[in-house]
Every structure is written in C-alpha cells, then in structure tokens.
Amino acid sequence: MRFTVFGGVSAQVRGRVTEFGPTRLGALLGVLLVDAGQAISADDLVDRVLGDAPPPRARAMVQTWLTRLRQTLPGLVEREGTGYVVRVDPLEIDLHLFRHLVRTGRTAEALPLAGDELLSTLDTPWARGRRAAFADELLEARLDHVDARLRQDEHAALVPELRALAAVRPLDERIAAQLIEALHGSGRTSEAAGHFEVIRARLQDELGAEPSRPLVTLHRRLQSASAPRQLPAPPKPFTGRALELAELDQAPNGVVVITGTGGVGKTSLAVHWAHRAAERFPDGQLYVNLHGFGPSGAAVSPGDALLRFLSALDVPRTEVPHDLAGQSALLRDALADKRVLMVLDNATDTDQIEPLLPRTPNTHVVITSRTALKPAHAHALPLGLLPPDDARELLAARIGHDRAQAEPDAVDTVVRRCARLPLALAVAGARAATQPEFPLAALADELADLDAFADDDDVTADLRSVFSHSCKALSAEALRLFRLLGLMPGSDISLAGAASLAGRGLRETEALLEELARANLIDEPEPGRFTCHDLLRDYAAELALPTERDEALHRLLDHLALTSVEAGVAFTPTRHRPATPEPADGVVITPISTQEEALAWLTAEHPTLMSAMPHGTPAQTWLMGWSLADVLDRQAHYRDLLTSQQLAVAALEQLDDADGLGRTLINLGRGLGRAGRQAEAEVALRRAFEVYEGNPAGQAGVLLNTAMLCPDDRIAEAMEHTRRGLALFEECGDEYGQANALTGLAWGHGKLGEFALALEYGERVMPMWQAMGHVLGQGETWDNLGTAYLGLGEPAKAVEAFTRSAEHFRIGGDRSLEATAYEELGDAHAAAGDAELAREAWQTSVRLHAEAGLPAERVLAKLQTEGQ
C-alpha cells in the first residue's frame, strides 16, 4: 500500500491507484493519514474537514464519509474509543516517509517527495495551519541539504537556488549565510561581501537589529579571503640570515632594498620574511617577479605589474587609466587605507620600480635586485655570502644532518668550493642527496677544479662550474631537456610545452623533469608548471647545441600555436576554426573541450604566448594572436589585445591568407577601438572590408563590427551597417551571421525607441538562437525583448524577459552583460511599482559591475534616487 498527502490525496493498493481529488472523502482520508496511528475524535474530524463554520448535521455527514471510506479501503480505518485511526505503516505515507528520510540523513531522497503542497486540495484553518508548519519543516530540510551540498563543494550550482530563497525570505540569516558561502566558494567573493552589506542594511532598517555572530564571523572570513595573498610558497629549507631578518623586522614601513649577487639568496630571504611578517599586513600581500635579469623580453613592465596589483585589489578594469602615471596614482588610492606588504622581486633598475612604489603610510615594500637601487628614502640591506655556520647548516638540511655530522671535513670542503652561495649549495646538495651511497668526500673532490671565488666584499663568482658539476650527474636525456629549457620564450613552461620542446612523450618528459627537480635545477611553483633560476636558465641556454635549438623552439611554438587554437575554439565555439598546419614531429597538442578548460589554459599561457609571438613563424604568430583575441577582450587586457593583433597582422602580411588577414584586421579594429583610437579602428575595418572583397560573409562580419564601434549618437549609422550585413549574410546563407544581425537590429530599434520593431525582430530571432543552442544569443534577445516590453508599457513581461536574460548571461559566463541585465531588471521592477525588488536587482547589478571591472555610477545613482 502507498498513500500520498502531498498534492492531491491518493491511495495505491495492490497496484491499483485511487485518486480522490478535491472530494470530501479525499479530505477525510488526508486528515487521517497526516496523523496516522493517532485517534482523532469525530468533532476534530468535522473541524479539520469542514472548517470552523460547519453545515448542519456535520457529524452525520462525516460518519457517512467514514463508512464510504471504510468500504473503499477495507481494514484501513478503525474505531478507537471515541475516535478513528488509520492503521498503516507510516513509511507507506509520503509525509511520514519524508520525515523518516530526513531524520536518517537521507534528505536528498526526501525532498522530491514534497514537490507539492501538503493537502493542497483542502482549504480549512486546520489545513492551512498544517501547511504553514510543514513549510517551515520543509525549509529546514532544504537548508540542511544545502549545507551538505556546500560541504561537497557544489557552490556555483547552489547560487540560483539560494538567490530565489533569499528573495522570498530576505531577513533569514541562515539563507543569507549560505548564499554568501556559495558565492564565495564559486569565486565571487566581492559579490558575497556585497550580499552581507545588503542583509545588514535590511536587518537594521526593518528590525533595528545587527547581524548574528555567525554571520559576522563569516563576513570577517570573507574579508580575510578577499585580501590578496600573492606570495609564493616559503623556501624550504631556509637557514641563517638572523641579522638580516632582525633588520627587516625593525625597518619602519617604507621601502627596503635587498641587494646582492645572483644566487646569494635575496628572493629566499624576502619571501621567508614576508611569510613570517604576514600577520602585520592583514589587508594582503602583493608579489611580482619582475624578471629583471631573465631572458630578453621576459622582464615585466611597470604597467603590467600595476595592472596585476590593481586587479588583485579588485579595482575595476575600466577605471584604470591608460597612462603609467595615472595607474600609479590609482594604486596609491587603492592602498591609501590598507596595511599591505608588497614584494618586488628581481628588479632591474629604478625606472622599473618607481611607478610601483605607493609610498602610503601603511604599505611596506621589499625589493630585491642585483643592482644597488636607490629609490628615495629607501633602506638598503646588502646581502653577502652566508656565514660559514649557516652555510654548513643549509647543506646539512639538504643532505641530512647524520651524513653531515659523519663527514664534517667534506662538508667544509663543499661549503668552501660553493663559496657559501645558497644557490650553489642547493644545487650541490641536491647532487649529493641523489647519491646517498657515495661518500661526501668523493663528491667534494669532484668540485676541486672550481675556480676560486671572490671574497665577501666583491662577490663576482662564476657559478658555471657548480652547475656543470650537477649536470654531469644527469642522464643524457635529462641534460638535453635542461639545455632546451634555456630556450623558453616565457618565464615558465607546462609539461606539454616541455614535452614538445624535447620532442618526447608526456610520461618520459615528466620523469625527466622530476630528475631535474631532484637536482635542484628547476622548480615547480604550481602543479604542472616549471621554471628555474635565471642564472641556471642562462647557463642552460649556453649549453644548447646549435643543431637542436631551431627545431626545439619550432616544436614549442607549434605546441603553443596549435593548442591555443583548440583553446580559442572552445572558448568561443561560434568562431570559425582557422586552417592550421600539420604539427612538427614530437609536438604535443593539449586537448581542450570546455570553455572552463580553455579559459584556464589561455590565462596560464597568456604571458608565454605574448612572449612567444615575436619568435614564431608567420603562421604560428597569427594563430596565437587569433586565439588570444577573444579572451584578452573579455578580460579587458586591452594593451595586450592591441599588441597581439598588430603582431598577427604583420605576420599575415607575409602569408597568402586573405581570410586570416580579414579576421585579424577585425580584431585589430576592436583592439584600437578599446584603446579609444576610433579613427585608426575605422581604418583597420575598412581595410578588412577590402580584403574580403568577393566574400559576402566576411564583409558582413566587418559591417557588424563597424556597427559596434558606433557611439550612441550614431545609432542610425550603426543600424545601416547592420542591415547591409544582414543582406550579405542572407545572400550566403549564413544563419549564425543572420541571427547576429537580427539581434543587432532588435537592439538598435530599442535604443531608438521603436519598441514594436524591437519586439518584432526579437521574436523573429529567438527561435534561431534556440535552435543553435546559443546561450548568449538567447540572453541578448531576452534583453532586447525586455527593453521592448518596458517601452510598450508591459513591465511584468519585461521583468520576466530581463530575468531570463540575466540567467542566460550567467550561464554563458558574461558577467558584464549579466550586470546590465540586472540593472534593467531593476528598471522593470520600478516601472511595475515594486521598489524593494528594484532595489535588490540594482544592488546585484552594482556587485556584478564591480566584479566585471565596470563602472557602476549610473546604477548607484538609481539606488540613491530610489532611497530618497
């Protein structure tokens, strides 16, 4: 037997289902089932089934229904004393099964049972009271299940559900805490912090109360989590430098410059101290390796370093000026009231660091350099060789203290012949650690041919002999890979990149990289990415054989170019895949299938691709530029967008590829437009139109991009470009292009106030986007429909359209469009007369604008006006 009381009452007996519907018989059965096993008096049955104003002879009516019920379901209802009771296993009733599953921790199984309201067909005071009580019970179960899913890291999937719950119960602090946790866990910490401010304001305005302690504790955790934590891992082992650490501890907030020869341990000292002092700087720690002494082209420019810092401090990208002085001033503003530690590692000269120095009272800057830099009011901390005892301890930590104590003379010999330089000791120690069966004295003897190092006051030691000593212990293949790693165009390399460089398989290359890491010749600062000290890299490049250099570099550039195409296609699936050459033998192409994988790969390889483009063949260079165009535009890296497309255009001018040149000129036009160089952007697009002569689809794409460059006072011109583009797309049967053009026309008519036409074009294009499964296209069309409905005086339809638009943009990952949709949703709610929902939508829009790096002054003005 099975019984339901959620929704309509029904009974399933021996496979036969009886649906009672909104009948009195069904109401009576439902009342008995809800309290199964408990006797209910006849008077109570009358009240529960007929309400507080029962008709005459109500008891007789209930008795009649009881008789019919007992005939319909024999043996189910029994008389007990003066009342009636249902005799059935409670787990056969969906309500009681729900409660059992919740009690036993199986809430995920319980929740689907309560999909409909309890006794939904019975409308009496008793039934309404039971429904209200169960609604609270159900909510608790749902929230318990949310807690379980949060523990399983389902943060992103929970955000829409929790947003809906928070809208219904805006003062519920448990729901607010869960939503804040879900937003933070899905990488939207600034939005999570914003929601805390929203609920705190509501509690104060409506209840005169402050948030509870758990909510305040969560907020503090978010504040800590949102502070930048950019320091690399602390060096292990780290020994000695007690005097220098004390000097760093005692230095007042300002600028400290640690100087010393290469390999003396400047970075290790700075990073070790920074971790030790981190609690003094609760608002965050900023770090950048400026690569001032790395390979040509790898040095980080002051502008790039500033952008990294401003991004880490959540400064909206569109607020960042194009000029260096403006960026430097903005960093000062961002740090004005913060206690932050900044580490500028591997600086080359004062010009590189001066724009990065905020010189705010609570910001402390530690700089490392081989050059004696002298920024104004800086404290100099020259770093000499390790004291003998510290050098011996560092070597012992590398090879094991028991082994060091067993051969103290050999330890002294190694320390002396490594000139007490930490880098040399680390490399030599790693060599000894890999051969524990060898006497340390024998390894020390191998260093006997080292040149004498200079004294502490003039450290100009040549480390090549120490490196050579360790390289001799490598296998032939590991030594070959080490030589080739000196050719890396960027500062680090992936496993697949290293495999392509070597022309070997992934497993073999991974084993070789492990061998190099054991020898302390390379580091793995993050999983799957490898780098090495610039002195080791320079040495490796010197070893590279002329016969292998060109082919190895070509393989690496092939890997970058061809994998970047896979990433570019996955990141923007609607782009036409460019023709690609066959990869050279030994090239590994990383498979990329999802947008998330594409974004992760392009973000990780962005600096390497920018460094690699000038060294590629024309085909390699333009393919890397094509692949970077969309992600750099979406992430607002407009300077690199422009540079990459300029390089790609120059490469394509050496190739016979009109389609590729046309595409890249469009991207160049976009980059010039983003940089505010409107006239140059129009020149690039006119040239693209000429290149595409005889190619209607290509020319149509140019026209749509030209339309997008038009400012708001040239909407009519933009519409004319779009109509011409639509005609060309129709001529060549390009449905995706047609949908883009129709969407542009719907938008344009909405901007011009021609709402009926905007509605017509939106309704025409929606089925096309839906047939293609194009999420962002549907989002844009819902947005255009919302504008049309609002303009036509139908705010309820506009609310629905903007809600759908925002959801599609969220799924499609376009935060800036989602932000705009929420702003428009607020406008629609305001037009519908719902000020509270309007305020909530605008607040969401402000948070999303900030997260996307967009100004939100217009939305903030609406909030301010609404609050007056």
Side-chain angles (χ1 to χ4, degrees):
M1 301 174 73
R2 293 286 188 274
F3 298 92
T4 67
V5 291
F6 291 122
V9 177
S10 69
Q12 180 180 344
V13 182
R14 290 188 288 275
R16 180 184 174 188
V17 178
T18 302
E19 298 281 355
F20 289 90
T23 64
R24 296 298 189 190
L25 199 63
L28 180 63
L29 176 60
V31 166
L32 291 166
L33 290 170
V34 165
D35 287 327
Q38 300 178 27
I40 305 172
S41 69
D43 288 340
D44 283 345
L45 288 175
V46 169
D47 290 341
R48 296 181 184 188
V49 175
L50 296 174
D52 51 8
R57 302 184 67 254
R59 270 190 82 161
M61 294 170 62
V62 168
Q63 290 290 350
T64 301
W65 297 333
L66 280 167
T67 301
R68 289 175 56 194
L69 184 59
R70 295 166 79 176
Q71 291 171 348
T72 304
L73 299 170
L76 178 66
V77 181
E78 296 181 1
R79 189 175 182 92
E80 184 175 295
T82 60
Y84 297 86
V85 63
V86 162
R87 296 296 186 193
V88 66
D89 181 351
L91 298 187
E92 302 292 344
I93 305 167
D94 55 0
L95 170 64
H96 300 286
L97 177 60
F98 170 90
R99 288 170 171 162
H100 169 75
L101 292 172
V102 170
R103 282 195 304 271
T104 56
R106 296 155 66 188
T107 310
E109 297 176 50
L111 290 174
L113 297 174
D116 293 312
E117 276 193 321
L118 181 68
L119 297 175
S120 62
T121 59
L122 180 59
D123 188 21
T124 63
W126 175 86
R128 291 193 292 271
R130 293 301 288 264
R131 273 196 291 274
F134 181 75
D136 291 338
E137 184 181 338
L138 176 60
L139 178 62
E140 286 302 306
R142 288 183 65 185
L143 298 185
D144 288 344
H145 186 48
V146 167
D147 284 336
R149 293 176 64 191
L150 287 171
R151 289 192 294 271
Q152 295 167 4
D153 294 329
E154 296 183 31
H155 299 88
L158 282 167
V159 170
E161 177 183 340
L162 288 169
R163 279 200 186 284
L165 280 172
V168 175
R169 301 175 68 93
L171 298 176
D172 190 311
E173 292 189 68
R174 184 180 181 189
I175 294 172
Q178 289 179 331
L179 176 55
I180 290 168
E181 191 75 55
L183 288 166
H184 169 58
S186 54
R188 298 155 72 173
T189 300
S190 60
E191 192 174 344
H195 189 70
F196 173 83
E197 297 302 333
V198 169
I199 191 166
R200 177 162 65 181
R202 282 179 174 156
L203 290 168
Q204 290 172 341
D205 293 346
E206 299 183 31
L207 302 179
E210 292 294 325
S212 63
R213 180 171 294 179
L215 202 55
V216 171
T217 301
L218 175 60
H219 181 239
R220 287 175 181 158
R221 181 159 61 86
L222 290 182
Q223 287 180 311
S224 175
S226 62
R229 301 280 188 263
Q230 295 187 322
L231 294 177
K236 293 182 179 179
F238 181 89
T239 61
R241 302 301 190 191
L243 293 175
E244 290 85 356
L245 289 169
E247 191 170 345
L248 285 167
D249 285 336
Q250 294 162 12
N253 281 351
V255 180
V256 176
V257 183
I258 303 173
T259 57
T261 191
V264 80
K266 300 180 297 297
T267 297
S268 292
L269 173 63
V271 173
H272 176 79
W273 179 83
H275 278 281
R276 198 172 80 164
E279 290 185 359
R280 288 171 46 187
F281 305 97
D283 296 318
Q285 300 89 44
L286 300 170
Y287 172 89
V288 63
N289 185 343
L290 295 168
H291 294 290
F293 300 92
S296 175
V300 176
S301 69
D304 285 342
L306 281 165
L307 289 178
R308 295 183 196 183
F309 286 164
L310 291 169
S311 175
L313 293 165
D314 289 331
V315 176
R317 197 61 179 262
T318 52
E319 293 181 11
V320 179
H322 290 294
D323 63 297
L324 196 62
Q327 293 169 356
S328 184
L330 187 58
L331 180 66
R332 285 195 297 275
D333 291 343
L335 293 174
D337 301 319
K338 290 183 168 66
R339 287 183 291 167
V340 170
L341 172 64
M342 180 185 294
V343 179
L344 306 178
D345 195 15
N346 246 330
T348 181
D349 54 36
T350 304
D351 290 341
Q352 190 183 28
I353 62 167
E354 195 61 44
L356 306 177
L357 301 179
R359 302 197 184 281
T360 54
N362 296 318
T363 302
H364 188 55
V365 183
V366 176
I367 303 168
T368 74
S369 179
R370 295 181 202 170
T371 307
L373 304 180
K374 295 181 180 179
H377 308 295
H379 176 76
L381 178 55
L383 193 64
L385 303 179
L386 275 173
D389 288 345
D390 290 345
R392 284 190 286 270
E393 175 58 26
L394 178 59
L395 182 61
R398 291 279 180 182
I399 66 174
H401 286 83
D402 290 344
R403 189 176 181 189
Q405 290 173 4
E407 298 186 75
D409 292 341
V411 168
D412 288 343
T413 301
V414 173
V415 166
R416 185 177 65 256
R417 289 174 177 169
C418 287
R420 306 199 310 273
L421 282 168
L423 177 61
L425 287 166
V427 174
R431 164 84 165 92
T434 58
Q435 295 182 304
E437 71 281 2
F438 273 49
L440 190 60
L443 297 174
D445 288 343
E446 293 181 9
L447 297 172
D449 59 347
L450 294 185
D451 295 334
F453 288 95
D455 59 31
D456 293 15
D457 296 327
D458 183 24
V459 181
T460 57
D462 183 357
L463 291 169
R464 290 178 179 80
S465 296
V466 178
F467 298 158
S468 173
H469 161 67
S470 284
C471 286
K472 288 176 183 176
L474 295 174
S475 66
E477 280 296 312
L479 177 59
R480 174 176 175 272
L481 177 57
F482 177 66
R483 293 196 303 265
L484 297 178
L485 287 173
L487 307 177
M488 293 187 297
S491 60
D492 62 2
I493 195 168
S494 67
L495 170 60
S500 299
L501 190 67
R504 299 292 187 262
L506 289 172
R507 287 190 178 181
E508 181 182 355
T509 303
E510 188 172 26
L512 296 174
L513 289 167
E514 289 174 358
E515 183 178 348
L516 293 176
R518 286 194 300 272
N520 218 69
L521 296 173
I522 64 168
D523 294 315
E524 189 176 4
E526 58 183 278
R529 299 204 70 82
F530 303 89
T531 186
C532 62
H533 193 285
D534 49 32
L535 293 175
L536 282 162
R537 180 173 171 153
D538 290 344
Y539 178 68
E542 291 174 6
L543 297 180
L545 304 176
T547 54
E548 62 187 5
R549 294 174 63 97
D550 292 344
E551 288 186 359
L553 185 58
H554 183 85
R555 285 194 301 269
L556 174 58
L557 294 171
D558 252 7
H559 157 75
L560 292 170
L562 299 178
T563 303
S564 73
V565 170
E566 299 304 311
V569 170
F571 186 72
T572 312
T574 51
R575 296 171 81 190
H576 297 297
R577 176 189 288 271
T580 53
E582 285 295 317
D585 291 342
V587 172
V588 176
I589 302 175
T590 304
I592 297 174
S593 57
T594 68
Q595 188 180 50
E596 291 76 15
E597 291 173 351
L599 179 59
W601 191 90
L602 289 165
T603 300
E605 297 289 359
H606 164 203
T608 299
L609 290 167
M610 292 300 299
S611 297
M613 285 186 70
H615 303 287
T617 65
Q620 290 168 336
T621 297
W622 102 261
L623 288 173
M624 286 186 271
W626 177 88
S627 304
L628 282 168
D630 271 16
V631 71
L632 294 180
D633 192 26
R634 290 267 189 98
Q635 295 188 333
H637 291 292
Y638 298 140
R639 182 181 302 165
D640 282 354
L641 171 63
L642 182 55
T643 300
S644 64
Q645 301 316 300
Q646 288 170 329
L647 288 169
V649 167
L652 280 157
E653 286 172 338
Q654 303 176 54
L655 300 171
D656 183 18
D657 187 346
D659 183 62
L661 181 58
R663 296 189 207 191
T664 308
L665 285 166
I666 290 174
N667 291 334
L668 177 59
R670 196 187 337 167
L672 289 164
R674 299 297 194 198
R677 294 157 64 174
Q678 186 79 12
E680 294 173 80
E682 291 175 0
V683 169
L685 291 173
R686 281 198 297 272
R687 184 182 172 197
F689 193 84
E690 295 168 358
V691 166
Y692 274 130
E693 184 176 359
N695 182 340
Q699 290 190 325
V702 175
L703 289 168
L704 262 61
N705 276 273
T706 304
M708 286 189 285
L709 274 178
C710 293
D712 283 354
D713 60 356
R714 290 166 56 189
I715 295 294
E717 180 184 338
M719 296 280 283
E720 181 55 32
H721 289 311
T722 306
R723 289 190 189 94
R724 290 176 60 199
L726 175 61
L728 289 171
F729 280 131
E730 289 175 337
E731 176 186 325
C732 61
D734 187 326
E735 290 193 6
Y736 172 73
Q738 292 174 50
N740 259 326
L742 290 168
T743 303
L745 291 173
W747 174 85
H749 284 301
K751 293 289 286 186
L752 293 172
E754 299 166 348
F755 302 116
L757 285 171
L759 183 63
E760 178 184 332
Y761 277 107
E763 290 176 339
R764 177 179 167 187
V765 74
M766 180 64 82
M768 299 173 69
W769 288 128
Q770 290 172 335
M772 285 184 261
H774 196 286
V775 173
L776 290 178
Q778 293 176 60
E780 291 179 24
T781 303
W782 279 118
D783 192 81
N784 292 331
L785 290 172
T787 300
Y789 287 132
L790 197 58
L792 293 170
E794 299 183 66
K797 289 185 177 179
V799 164
E800 180 183 358
F802 287 131
T803 300
R804 294 195 181 193
S805 172
E807 182 63 13
H808 278 80
F809 290 144
R810 184 193 65 78
I811 295 170
D814 197 312
R815 192 57 51 82
S816 64
L817 291 177
E818 185 185 358
T820 302
Y822 269 105
E823 177 188 355
E824 294 165 325
L825 178 58
D827 297 344
H829 280 307
D834 196 327
E836 180 59 29
L837 288 178
R839 183 168 175 262
E840 181 177 329
W842 287 330
Q843 287 169 333
T844 301
S845 178
V846 169
R847 293 195 300 272
L848 292 171
H849 272 91
E851 195 168 311
L854 297 169
E857 286 79 6
R858 185 178 60 206
V859 194
L860 288 168
K862 293 176 182 179
L863 279 167
Q864 185 175 9
T865 302
E866 184 269 340
Q868 293 173 350

